[in-house]
């Protein structure tokens, strides 16, 4: 059964770079039917897709975050990572990683990790 | 830029009642690319419906999705206590490529 687990610092200082890693177990991160995504949920707000990455390294970034986001993949470790630079209080959120499944002409996120809370504070 | 607007923001119902949740897109969305999720506090979001009306594996048949174009609906035919949660619709394909609605909170009346 596929499982995803986020890891990384729970506290980041303003103007610094947020770094998170998602470890994938139970399936191959190199499967061409999937990409891998980061989604966040600020306190009291809805879900926002940050971006996705294929095992090949091909990425999609949300245009609103594109200038600050880097998503990378390490297939040897079955991990993909998120870096978000120049963070502010607005970047405080629960960050989720998820598999973006391609099945025929359908697309969906499933499963998701449990999420990790990131606070931005000095 | 596509925007998904979910209504109502909060829906207060009792167990056994029928829930109807709406997701309206600012431009047409392919039905294949319209997805619904359930999200409970402290848990990972759960896939409910993909392709507008296809139930995900293990999802009870009291959940159903419908709609096309710009108007989509998630219906829960008879609410169970475990169904009270926040529900999100999500689209793929229009710019931005992946967007979520702001959510509908389904609470116990």
């Amino acid at each position: 059964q596929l499982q995803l687990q986020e890891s990384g610092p729970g506290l980041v200082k303003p103007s610094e770079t947020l770094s998170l890693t998602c470890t994938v177990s139970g399936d191959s991160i190199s499967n061409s039917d999937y990409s891998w995504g980061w989604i966040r949920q600020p306190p009291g707000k809805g879900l926002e897709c940050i971006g996705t990455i294929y095992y090949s390294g091909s990425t999609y970034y949300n245009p609103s975050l594109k200038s600050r986001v880097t998503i990378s993949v390490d297939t040897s470790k079955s991990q993909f990572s998120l870096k978000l630079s120049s963070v502010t209080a607005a970047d405080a959120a629960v960050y989720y990683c998820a598999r973006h499944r391609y099945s025929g002409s359908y697309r969906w996120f499933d499963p998701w990790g449990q999420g990790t809370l990131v606070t931005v504070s000095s | 830029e596509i925007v998904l607007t979910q209504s109502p923001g909060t829906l207060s119902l009792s167990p056994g009642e029928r829930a109807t949740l709406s997701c309206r897109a600012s431009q047409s969305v392919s039905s294949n690319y319209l997805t619904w999720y359930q999200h409970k506090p402290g848990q990972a979001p759960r896939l409910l419906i993909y392709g507008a009306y296809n139930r995900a594996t293990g999802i009870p048949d009291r959940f159903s999705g419908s709609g096309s174009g710009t108007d989509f609906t998630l219906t829960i035919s008879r609410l169970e206590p475990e169904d009270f949660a926040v529900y999100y619709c999500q689209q793929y394909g229009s710019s931005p490529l992946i967007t979520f609605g702001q959510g509908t909170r389904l609470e116990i009346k």
Side-chain angles (χ1 to χ4, degrees):
Chain A
Q1 181 180 354
L2 178 69
Q3 293 186 313
L4 298 94
Q5 180 65 57
E6 305 90 350
S7 59
L11 179 63
V12 182
K13 291 183 169 60
S15 80
E16 296 193 342
T17 296
L18 178 160
S19 296
L20 297 174
T21 295
C22 182
T23 300
V24 177
S25 60
D27 199 350
S28 173
I29 201 171
S30 301
N31 191 314
S32 61
D33 288 335
Y34 316 144
S35 61
W36 305 92
W38 287 99
I39 302 103
R40 70 180 183 178
Q41 183 178 32
K45 297 188 178 181
L47 299 169
E48 178 182 40
C49 179
I50 301 168
T52 62
I53 189 165
Y54 266 111
Y55 73 95
S56 62
S58 175
T59 54
Y60 158 75
Y61 296 143
N62 187 321
S64 69
L65 297 168
K66 188 173 183 177
S67 64
R68 298 193 292 129
V69 172
T70 302
I71 298 176
S72 59
V73 63
D74 186 337
T75 56
S76 67
K77 294 181 178 179
S78 288
Q79 294 177 334
F80 62 104
S81 299
L82 168 69
K83 291 189 184 298
L84 180 65
S85 65
S86 305
V87 299
T88 69
D91 296 309
V94 176
Y95 285 75
Y96 296 96
C97 60
R99 179 180 66 178
H100 194 219
R101 177 76 185 269
Y102 293 30
S103 179
S105 55
Y106 301 118
R107 308 281 186 272
W108 64 79
F109 284 109
D110 181 65
W112 299 55
Q114 284 297 309
T116 188
L117 176 64
V118 177
T119 301
V120 178
S121 175
S122 55
Chain B
E1 176 178 314
I2 190 169
V3 176
L4 298 181
T5 302
Q6 293 187 239
S7 62
T10 301
L11 185 57
S12 299
L13 293 170
S14 300
E17 291 192 293
R18 180 184 186 92
T20 303
L21 288 67
S22 172
C23 175
R24 178 161 291 177
S26 59
Q27 57 190 265
S28 186
V29 174
S30 168
S31 296
N32 288 351
Y33 297 156
L34 195 289
T35 308
W36 290 93
Y37 302 90
Q38 178 191 67
H39 194 196
K40 296 180 180 179
Q43 297 186 18
R46 177 192 185 193
L47 173 69
L48 291 178
I49 302 284
Y50 65 92
Y53 53 82
N54 299 286
R55 274 188 302 277
T57 301
I59 300 303
D61 61 7
R62 65 180 180 273
F63 290 90
S64 63
S66 62
S68 63
T70 60
D71 290 297
F72 298 89
T73 300
L74 174 69
T75 301
I76 310 171
S77 59
R78 292 177 315 279
L79 285 166
E80 298 287 342
E82 62 267 28
D83 298 336
F84 292 91
V86 180
Y87 292 84
Y88 293 94
C89 59
Q90 176 243 313
Q91 71 84 32
Y92 171 91
S94 296
S95 180
L97 187 64
I98 300 170
T99 50
F100 292 86
Q102 84 280 14
T104 289
R105 179 179 304 277
L106 179 56
E107 63 177 28
I108 299 176
K109 187 173 182 180

